[in-house]
Amino acid sequence: MTARLNRIAAAGTDGYERIRLADNTMITVQAQSDAPDFDEVAFWSSVTVPDTEA
């Protein structure tokens, strides 16, 4: 998964990019090329997000 996130971060997106995680849940990300952070990360309703800074 890290390789795909790195590729998306380096190349950016033309809108939103869906990413299917190992447990079959999905997130959606948006990024500009070579940006240090993603512009937006959206979690689908099936994803449980821990309440931490990590």
Side-chain angles (χ1 to χ4, degrees), residues 1-10 19 21 38:
M1 178 51 67
T2 302
R4 181 156 186 213
L5 288 174
N6 288 343
R7 179 191 57 78
I8 291 170
I19 299 173
L21 304 175
F38 287 100

Side-chain angles (χ1 to χ4, degrees), residues 27-48:
I27 63 172
T28 303
V29 298
Q30 182 179 30
Q32 295 182 27
S33 62
D34 294 322
D37 298 313
F38 287 100
D39 294 332
E40 186 172 337
V41 177
F43 297 93
W44 292 46
S45 61
S46 59
V47 177
T48 302

